[in-house]
Structure formats: C-alpha cells, structure tokens
Amino acid sequence: MNPINHVAIIMDGNGRWGLKHKKSRNAGHKAGLNTVEKIIKETIKQKIKFLTLYAFSTENWKRPKREINYLFNLLENFLINKIEELNKQNIKLKIIGIKKFTKKLNKLLIHSEKKTFKNKRLQINLALNYGSKYELVNAFRCLSKNKEKINENSISKYLLTNDTPDPDLLIRTGNTKRLSNFLLWQLAYSEIFFERKLWPDFNDKDYNKIIKKFKNTKRNFGKI
Ligand code: FPP
C-alpha cells in the first residue's frame, strides 16, 4: 500500500453549486467552506501530514469585484473564528502565494502563520493569490541573483513549498480536467484524481474512496 503524506486539492465547483441551489455563486463559496472544514477533519483522522488547498489563484482577480470581496471576507472570518481551534488541534497554517492583500488580511495572515508555526500534526498550505508559473519564474530569478547552480534541488529550494514534500495525490472536484496553474513542478509524479462532484457536495466518504484507490495504485515513478 502506498504511504500518503501530502494531498493537494483544487476545490472547484463552488460557483456552479451556488447558482444551482441558491441562485448565487457566493452561496457556493460559503457552502464550500463547510467542505474545507470536513476535509481538514478527515485529513487529520487519516494521519496525513500535509494538505494543500487552492483557494485563490493569480488569475482569480479577473472575477467580479463582488465575488472577490466575498471570498476574502469569508477567509477573514474563517481565520478570526477558527485559528484558535486550528492551533489547539496542533495544525500549522502556511500561506503560499503572493502576499499582497488588504492591510487587515495581511495582518491576519501573518498572525495566523506565526501563531501556528510550531504545530506538527498537520500542515495546511493555503494557496492564496497563487500561480505556479509565477512561483517558478521567481525561483529562477532567485537562483540567477544568487548565482546558484540550476538543478532540481536548487529549484525546489526556492519554491513556496520548500518545506513540504511533493503531493502524493491531487484531487480536483467539479468535473473539470485541468491543472489551472497549480503546483506544476511539484505534481510531476503525483497521482491525479478528477472528481465529478462539485466541491460543496464533496464529503469525507468521497475523500476516503479516493484515498483508498490511491493506496492501492501501483506507482512506478518511471520504472516498470
Ligand atoms: C473554485 O470554484 C473555488 C474558488 C476559486 C474558491 C475556493 C474557496 C473556498 C472553497 C471557500 C473559501 C475557503 C477558505 C479557506 C476561506 P469556482 O468558483 O471556480 O466554481 P465554478 O467552476 O463552478 O465557477
């Protein structure tokens, strides 16, 4: 059975779910947050050490301002209300992405990261204003500035995930099959599971089914 250390998730389908059930995309984001909490709980139960969640991409700024504001408000309230609980559960929160937000959110993010920095049970990498191509360009710029040799290790060192093993497993909900500029380097050998359900409908049973399938998959890493 394959060991499982790191699960990455593209949480897709909130907008469609919201429109279908409540005639509002934002209602889908609110419902999506409940799924985030369920999946965190299950990840702990499964003793998985790293969970990377794609919450906002560098391309998501192209959405209507109303939706962007709603998403960031949701995140602010989540951090204000839940960071204490995450900390008590020994969860470390790390933001991966370009940290350019409002003063209030920047402060909250720094506070949440600092508060949970030493926690060991589970590390949640929250990808916020994240873009994999930007991350890679930035790594190459650092290597060139520091006149360092270019190799796989040196590139990985300058990625935002430098303290995290590569994902064993990527899940994308929402019945769409693309990577959307997410962890392009890190996913080189990950097993990818595309899930039909929209993110707010995804639950711990669906998650466990995928984990079970993953554990029984033959991983070759280029060998036969
Ligand atoms: C993609 O679905 C989802 C997002 C861009 C936002 C993800 C946010 C959450 C799950 C809730 C908030 C999370 C935190 C941690 C506060 P989409 O809107 O692109 O769906 P669509 O494809 O149906 O339009």
Side-chain angles (χ1 to χ4, degrees):
M1 280 228 280
N2 297 313
I4 178 164
N5 253 323
H6 182 185
V7 177
I9 307 184
I10 300 176
M11 311 181 284
D12 194 17
N14 288 351
R16 277 166 286 162
W17 189 96
L19 285 176
K20 189 173 152 201
H21 294 276
K22 313 259 178 195
K23 295 195 172 66
S24 134
R25 290 182 53 84
N26 287 345
H29 294 308
K30 192 171 171 204
L33 188 54
N34 294 333
T35 307
V36 169
E37 296 193 43
K38 275 187 218 154
I39 296 305
I40 293 175
K41 271 196 194 129
E42 198 52 37
T43 306
I44 293 177
K45 230 172 153 184
Q46 293 293 335
K47 299 193 168 59
I48 296 165
K49 287 287 178 194
F50 297 89
L51 175 68
T52 300
L53 299 173
Y54 205 5
F56 196 86
S57 74
T58 44
E59 289 74 32
N60 285 151
W61 294 109
K62 293 174 196 154
R63 294 187 176 206
K65 221 170 169 196
R66 213 173 138 252
E67 182 168 337
I68 296 174
N69 288 341
Y70 187 87
L71 268 169
F72 284 113
N73 263 326
L74 208 58
L75 173 65
E76 277 180 12
N77 288 331
F78 175 76
L79 291 175
I80 292 168
N81 295 320
K82 299 283 173 173
I83 198 63
E84 204 62 57
E85 196 182 315
L86 293 181
N87 189 39
K88 270 196 194 136
Q89 291 187 70
N90 202 6
I91 295 174
K92 173 177 177 174
L93 183 71
K94 178 179 167 164
I95 307 304
I96 57 168
I98 311 163
K99 286 178 181 156
K100 269 192 194 163
F101 306 103
T102 59
K103 246 192 190 165
K104 185 181 174 199
L105 182 56
N106 276 335
K107 230 173 126 182
L108 252 173
L109 293 174
I110 292 169
H111 168 76
S112 306
E113 286 192 312
K114 264 195 186 158
K115 194 174 178 72
T116 60
F117 183 72
K118 288 191 179 146
N119 293 344
K120 293 266 183 280
R121 195 178 191 186
L122 166 69
Q123 175 167 332
I124 299 175
N125 296 320
L126 191 63
L128 258 192
N129 195 16
Y130 173 87
S132 186
K133 286 190 174 180
Y134 173 87
E135 181 188 31
L136 282 163
V137 169
N138 186 55
F140 297 142
R141 281 195 187 130
C142 292
L143 285 167
S144 148
K145 195 172 136 206
N146 299 336
K147 296 194 171 58
E148 281 185 57
K149 272 198 184 139
I150 294 181
N151 55 44
E152 290 189 15
N153 284 338
S154 65
I155 291 170
S156 296
K157 191 174 81 183
Y158 284 108
L159 298 180
L160 298 162
T161 50
N162 57 4
D163 60 348
T164 305
D166 286 344
D168 299 295
L169 169 56
L170 170 75
I171 301 169
R172 180 177 188 137
T173 58
N175 202 19
T176 307
K177 293 179 178 145
R178 55 173 171 258
L179 294 179
S180 302
N181 200 12
F182 188 48
L183 304 175
L184 301 178
W185 174 274
Q186 297 89 331
L187 291 172
Y189 267 106
S190 309
E191 302 295 326
I192 301 181
F193 287 78
F194 293 108
E195 161 69 43
R196 277 169 173 265
K197 280 192 179 177
L198 305 174
W199 178 248
D201 288 328
F202 189 67
N203 60 36
D204 42 358
K205 270 194 191 144
D206 304 315
Y207 188 38
N208 280 327
K209 248 193 227 166
I210 293 176
I211 291 174
K212 202 170 162 196
K213 259 195 207 161
F214 164 83
K215 285 189 172 166
N216 292 311
T217 300
K218 190 166 179 277
R219 302 187 82 192
N220 287 342
F221 298 100
K223 295 177 290 189
I224 51 167

